[in-house]
């Protein structure tokens, strides 16, 4: 049985507005009565970065000094020690020769008149350098030697490539080459002097003649010994003859060609000295010959030592150029 109170409650419930839905974007309303409500908990903040990261963000980036470990230092010292040991080992024979050269005349093992101690030779060399004679004679010899050597390289390398590559040219010039390559350059020196005189032309010409043969023969051999597999492969790729020479023949021939060039560099100095002893007014050969006639033996040895030093430096220069041109080679 329904009472009046129930009817009144139902009527009021029908007249009341529907409850509002909560908007997540709106802040929660604070109640007006009762105990003060706690503030809403803020959204979860990201965890604070470690102290190291904070310091790294604020501090400027600076280059750190690498800390060398004791093992690395010991390795460096060991490498330096090995280098010094190798240098001492390479120079041991030269140092022993100089010591023997210094002590043998002083101990009376040889006549000091004909073989003075190396210290006297060094003193004479310094005196020749001081008064300008050594520079004058060395300059004259270098101009003749390097001039003839350069002309020989320009002639012999292209001619060797031509003879080594084209069989008809090799058949045509082979007998002539065999005749002249077995004739010593010094044996033809009087012929050059008679035909060209005792001036610069004969000296440069004899150097050219002597230097051509090592370069020419090594170039011919290098071209003939080129890898046939590489040559066939290049031909199968339709490479032209100039490209074949550039990509296959010349790279494979560089070591043998430079062997001939190094031999020619030594020959150019030796032959020139002999030519300057016969007819010249300047040059290391003239200095050695004049010192012998005037019985200035220390000056004579000073000229010989200068020739040896020039030959050693020239050979080292050629070795360096060969390495630069042979960077493609795989080290053994």
């Amino acid at each position: 049985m329904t009472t009046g109170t129930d009817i009144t409650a139902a009527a009021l419930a029908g007249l009341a507005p529907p409850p509002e839905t909560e908007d997540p974007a709106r802040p929660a309303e604070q109640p007006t009565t009762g105990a003060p409500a706690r503030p809403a908990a803020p959204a979860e903040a990201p965890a604070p970065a470690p102290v190291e990261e904070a310091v790294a963000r604020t501090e400027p980036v600076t280059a750190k000094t690498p800390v060398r470990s004791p093992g690395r230092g010991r390795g460096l010292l060991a490498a330096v020690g090995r280098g010094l040991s190798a240098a001492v080992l390479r120079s041991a024979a030269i140092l022993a020769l100089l010591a023997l050269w210094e002590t043998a005349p002083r101990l009376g093992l040889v006549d000091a008149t004909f073989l003075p101690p190396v210290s006297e030779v060094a003193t004479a060399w310094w005196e020749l350098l001081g008064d300008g004679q050594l520079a004058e004679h060395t300059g004259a010899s270098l101009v003749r030697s390097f001039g003839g050597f350069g002309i020989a390289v320009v002639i012999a390398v292209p001619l060797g490539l031509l003879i080594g590559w084209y069989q008809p040219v090799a058949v045509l010039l082979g007998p002539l080459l065999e005749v002249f390559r077995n004739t010593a350059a010094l044996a033809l020196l009087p012929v050059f002097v008679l035909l060209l005189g005792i001036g610069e032309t004969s000296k440069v010409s004899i150097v050219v003649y002597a230097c051509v043969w090592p370069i020419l023969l090594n170039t011919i051999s290098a071209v003939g010994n080129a890898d046939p597999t590489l040559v066939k492969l290049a031909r199968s790729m339709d490479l032209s003859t100039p490209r074949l020479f550039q990509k296959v023949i010349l790279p494979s021939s560089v070591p043998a060609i430079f062997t001939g060039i190094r031999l020619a560099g030594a020959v150019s100095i030796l032959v020139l000295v002999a030519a300057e002893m016969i007819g010249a007014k300047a040059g290391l050969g003239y200095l050695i010959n004049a010192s012998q006639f005037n019985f200035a033996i220390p000056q004579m040895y000073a000229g010989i030592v200068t020739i040896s030093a020039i030959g050693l430096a020239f050979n080292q220069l050629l070795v360096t150029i060969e390495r630069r041109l042979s960077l493609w080679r795989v080290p053994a």
Side-chain angles (χ1 to χ4, degrees):
M1 182 173 182
T2 305
T3 64
T5 305
D6 296 334
I7 294 172
T8 305
L12 292 176
L15 294 176
E20 294 181 0
T21 58
E22 292 185 4
D23 189 356
R26 290 173 54 188
E29 295 182 0
Q30 301 292 337
T32 57
T33 61
R38 290 174 166 187
E44 185 175 356
V51 178
E52 291 80 6
E53 276 188 37
V55 173
R57 289 197 191 101
T58 57
E59 290 183 357
V61 178
T62 56
K64 295 183 178 180
T65 304
V67 180
R68 295 186 178 180
S69 60
R72 184 177 179 181
R74 287 194 295 268
L76 181 60
L77 291 177
V80 173
R82 287 193 298 268
L84 291 176
S85 300
V88 171
L89 183 62
R90 285 195 299 268
S91 58
I94 297 178
L95 294 177
L97 176 63
L98 294 178
L100 180 62
W101 189 355
E102 179 69 24
T103 57
R106 297 189 182 279
L107 296 177
L109 302 178
V110 295
D111 192 347
T113 304
F114 302 108
L115 184 64
V118 68
S119 57
E120 295 184 11
V121 174
T123 303
W125 186 89
W126 186 256
E127 291 175 354
L128 290 173
L129 181 64
D131 59 18
Q133 294 186 49
L134 187 63
E136 177 187 357
H137 294 303
T138 302
S141 294
L142 289 179
V143 169
R144 296 163 184 162
S145 178
F146 289 171
F149 173 80
I151 295 172
V153 171
V154 171
I155 293 174
V157 172
L159 184 59
L161 294 174
L162 186 66
I163 295 174
W165 186 252
Y166 293 104
Q167 188 64 26
V169 180
V171 173
L172 177 64
L173 298 180
L176 187 63
L177 296 179
E178 290 294 330
V179 171
F180 280 100
R181 76 169 187 146
N182 292 309
T183 304
L186 294 179
L188 296 176
L189 181 58
V191 178
F192 280 93
V193 172
L194 289 175
L195 296 178
L196 303 175
I198 60 173
E200 300 297 319
T201 307
S202 62
K203 298 177 181 58
V204 175
S205 299
I206 193 67
V207 172
V208 171
Y209 177 85
C211 293
V212 158
W213 300 110
I215 303 174
L216 180 63
L217 297 177
N218 278 273
T219 304
I220 295 172
S221 175
V223 175
N225 294 329
D227 192 349
T229 304
L230 294 179
V231 175
K232 291 179 181 178
L233 181 61
R235 289 190 181 279
S236 67
M237 299 173 65
D238 294 331
L239 288 183
S240 60
T241 300
R243 295 286 292 175
L244 179 62
F245 266 87
Q246 179 186 359
K247 296 296 184 181
V248 179
I249 302 300
L250 284 179
S252 63
S253 303
V254 164
I257 292 175
F258 263 89
T259 299
I261 290 176
R262 290 168 59 187
L263 291 174
V267 169
S268 66
I269 298 175
L270 299 179
V271 172
L272 176 65
V273 170
E276 288 176 343
M277 288 180 177
I278 293 178
K281 294 183 179 180
L284 293 174
Y286 169 78
L287 173 64
I288 294 171
N289 205 30
S291 299
Q292 179 191 7
F293 285 146
N294 295 328
F295 215 71
I297 305 302
Q299 286 81 357
M300 181 189 74
Y301 282 105
I304 295 173
V305 170
T306 304
I307 291 173
S308 300
I310 292 173
L312 181 63
F314 191 30
N315 180 74
Q316 190 62 39
L317 175 63
L318 294 176
V319 170
T320 303
I321 297 174
E322 178 185 0
R323 289 175 180 171
R324 293 294 300 272
L325 295 177
S326 303
L327 294 177
W328 55 270
R329 299 175 65 186
V330 178

